[in-house]
Amino acid sequence: MMYNDVVIVGGGISGLSLAYYCVKAGMKTSIIEKNDTVGGSFCSPSYTSGGNEFWFEMGAHTCYSSYRNLLDIVEKCGIMDTIIPRAKVPFTLLIDDNIKSIVSQLNLFELLVSAPNLFKLKKTGLSVKSYYSKIVGDGNYRDVISHFFNAVPSQPTDDFPADMMFKSREKRKDVLKNYTFKHGLQGVARTIAATKGINVFNGQAVSSVEFANGEYVLRTTGGGEYSAKTLVLATPSSVASKLLRDVNPDIANHLGQLKAAQVDSVGVMVKKSDISLKPVAAMISPNDVFYSVVSRDTVPDEHFRGFAFHFKTGLDDATKRKRITDVLGVSMSKIVHSESRLNTVPSLNLGHHQWLEKTDTLLKEKKNLLLTGNFFGGMAIEDCVSRSLSEFNRMKMPA
Ligand SMILES: Cc1cc2nc3c(=O)[nH]c(=O)nc-3n(C[C@H](O)[C@H](O)[C@H](O)COP(=O)(O)OP(=O)(O)OC[C@H]3O[C@@H](n4cnc5c(N)ncnc54)[C@H](O)[C@@H]3O)c2cc1C
């Protein structure tokens, strides 16, 4: 049995950032992660072909100058010099397998008539559909803009709270407006995980949690046992709910009310000389079998191009392969390397603010149980790090 001050389940950015705050406060901290690598949705596999290494993003891909809490950790980890700009290539629509600009598909008259609502309408209490259809017009929302919103969490977003989709935050002026990192976002996850004092146990799924004699005891599918005074759950809500079933049924039930969607992502790497598609940041194809194709063209490479197809769930491999080759205009033999990945993203709705208030009430007297993840203030990376920071502060606050 390994004893800790804090044990964290889940090695995505939520768990990693919380671990960082804990070790810097001198606490003995372990992360238990189901996958063989840390990062969760920070997933940047790399592959070497013909002596050339290439990485591409299977999950998160863009950070912003407003990600202050993330940047604070990046700075303290000494990797500000790994921040790199994203090339200015367009976000596009795919209509009948032809790339179109967003503007070309908008009804400009409708947009002009609706746009003044931007200065009148508040997002609070409105869904994405009710807010944005007034800003861009019903037709523009239905035919164009809604597909961009759906591409963000790879699911329908009509009912998401408008104020949780795109937040305005104070920007840092000394950092690029949008950027990525030299080795992809997973490089950041690996650096945080390597912070002195963080113990990481990969390839172990936590299967049960008990609470006895003032300590949590966690067991993993691989037979590992860990104990700690403080437990942090940094997993999808359904996993956190299951793990808390015996130790705190009220919080488990509360977490169990949330819904989430799976993103079935397939990433492919192709030789640059084999593909004629013009450079894009992403392609969104309304009513297709995928929500988006995110490209590595934002960090151009001399030899390769990479594309992550974020598919709807339940498709067979043949359907996915056919769509990938049709969209890219290459045969399977030209795919140098491919990767698959399932990520979980929350499905938020208008009642989420009330859910959050109840969460705070349930956690009030529970300083030894911290909950973080992408289903609190929003699913952006900065929302996750901010949640971890506020949970850390709650733990440290004098009683
Ligand atoms: C395709 C995609 C693109 C995105 N793009 C962006 C973007 O460009 N910019 C942005 O700001 N945000 C983006 N996001 C959102 C953001 O990346 C995520 O919300 C965030 O990374 C989630 O981090 P997390 O640590 O909360 O969860 P996750 O990254 O999901 O990590 C949870 C971890 O818990 C582990 N786990 C689960 N069960 C167990 C168990 N029983 N035992 C041990 N470990 C367990 C999982 O393996 C996983 O590693 C994107 C998300 C996706 C999916």
Side-chain angles (χ1 to χ4, degrees):
M1 173 101 72
M2 187 183 173
Y3 295 93
N4 299 272
D5 295 319
V6 182
V7 68
I8 298 173
V9 187
I13 189 61
S14 299
L16 287 164
S17 50
L18 197 32
Y20 183 84
Y21 297 131
C22 292
V23 291
K24 291 297 165 188
M27 305 171 96
K28 186 172 181 203
T29 304
S30 290
I31 296 179
I32 309 175
E33 166 54 47
K34 181 177 74 166
N35 290 336
D36 291 338
T37 54
V38 290
S41 301
F42 279 27
C43 177
S44 327
S46 73
Y47 188 75
T48 304
S49 174
N52 301 301
E53 198 193 344
F54 182 78
W55 57 263
F56 50 90
E57 299 291 15
M58 297 286 287
H61 43 85
T62 312
C63 296
Y64 299 92
S65 54
S66 59
Y67 286 10
R68 285 175 160 258
N69 289 320
L70 177 77
L71 282 164
D72 190 39
I73 294 179
V74 165
E75 201 157 30
K76 288 184 176 138
C77 285
I79 53 166
M80 286 297 272
D81 59 347
T82 65
I83 289 181
I84 53 170
R86 287 165 47 88
K88 287 191 173 43
V89 283
F91 284 82
T92 60
L93 282 161
L94 197 66
I95 309 287
D96 300 327
D97 284 358
N98 293 308
I99 291 180
K100 304 276 182 194
S101 73
I102 303 169
V103 175
S104 72
Q105 302 303 301
L106 287 172
N107 177 329
L108 293 180
F109 176 73
E110 191 183 31
L111 186 63
L112 276 174
V113 172
S114 315
N117 284 326
L118 187 60
F119 305 102
K120 295 185 212 154
L121 216 55
K122 291 261 176 303
K123 287 181 181 171
T124 320
L126 294 182
S127 67
V128 163
K129 182 178 178 182
S130 53
Y131 178 77
Y132 286 100
S133 56
K134 290 193 179 66
I135 304 289
V136 296
D138 287 334
N140 282 330
Y141 177 80
R142 185 191 57 236
D143 299 335
V144 182
I145 301 300
S146 63
H147 303 288
F148 275 87
F149 288 137
N150 296 349
V152 176
S154 296
Q155 59 186 295
T157 49
D158 279 357
D159 297 333
F160 270 53
D163 57 359
M164 286 189 170
M165 271 298 266
F166 296 109
K167 289 186 182 166
S168 73
R169 304 173 221 257
E170 199 194 336
K171 298 178 179 63
R172 263 180 70 159
K173 294 201 169 65
D174 59 331
V175 178
L176 292 166
K177 262 189 191 154
N178 64 73
Y179 55 89
T180 181
F181 290 84
K182 208 168 162 186
H183 308 289
L185 289 188
Q186 201 169 2
V188 177
R190 282 192 291 262
T191 301
I192 302 173
T195 303
K196 193 163 175 246
I198 302 182
N199 302 303
V200 181
F201 299 92
N202 279 125
Q204 299 203 44
V206 175
S207 52
S208 72
V209 176
E210 278 174 29
F211 187 69
N213 306 320
E215 290 207 329
Y216 290 97
V217 177
L218 282 70
R219 294 196 175 77
T220 69
T221 45
E225 275 194 6
Y226 303 82
S227 80
K229 289 190 201 76
T230 300
L231 169 67
V232 178
L233 296 176
T235 62
S237 54
S238 60
V239 178
S241 168
K242 213 170 110 202
L243 293 177
L244 288 178
R245 207 173 34 205
D246 296 332
V247 294
N248 196 319
D250 286 348
I251 296 182
N253 289 338
H254 184 59
L255 285 163
Q257 289 169 11
L258 290 185
K259 298 204 167 16
Q262 298 267 293
V263 192
D264 180 1
S265 304
V266 180
V268 293
M269 172 179 163
V270 189
K271 266 193 197 154
K272 211 169 178 176
S273 52
D274 283 336
I275 183 164
S276 58
L277 199 75
K278 71 174 190 182
V280 290
M283 293 179 277
I284 281 109
S285 180
N287 311 314
D288 210 317
V289 291
F290 56 81
Y291 283 103
S292 64
V293 181
V294 175
S295 137
R296 217 321 277 263
D297 295 340
T298 46
V299 185
D301 182 79
E302 210 183 318
H303 306 281
F304 300 108
R305 293 177 69 187
F307 302 89
F309 283 72
H310 299 300
F311 283 108
K312 294 178 176 169
T313 45
L315 301 171
D316 58 41
D317 285 347
T319 306
K320 289 186 260 184
R321 272 199 302 269
K322 169 134 183 36
R323 203 64 197 106
I324 290 170
T325 50
D326 283 352
V327 169
L328 299 183
V330 296
S331 64
M332 274 311 288
S333 64
K334 299 292 183 197
I335 309 268
V336 177
H337 178 67
S338 75
E339 295 269 346
S340 297
R341 177 91 184 182
L342 262 189
N343 282 312
T344 305
V345 279
S347 309
L348 305 180
N349 61 39
L350 270 188
H352 198 65
H353 286 287
Q354 286 77 25
W355 184 90
L356 278 175
E357 274 169 31
K358 173 115 191 260
T359 311
D360 288 344
T361 311
L362 287 169
L363 286 175
K364 208 162 183 190
E365 306 301 326
K366 295 241 146 291
K367 278 176 182 271
N368 62 351
L369 173 63
L370 312 186
L371 298 180
T372 183
N374 58 4
F375 50 90
F376 293 91
M379 67 169 267
I381 296 162
E382 182 66 4
D383 291 316
C384 299
V385 183
S386 302
R387 172 70 190 180
S388 293
L389 181 57
S390 73
E391 281 296 82
F392 172 75
N393 288 335
R394 182 172 67 82
M395 169 175 68
K396 298 301 283 176
M397 213 158 52

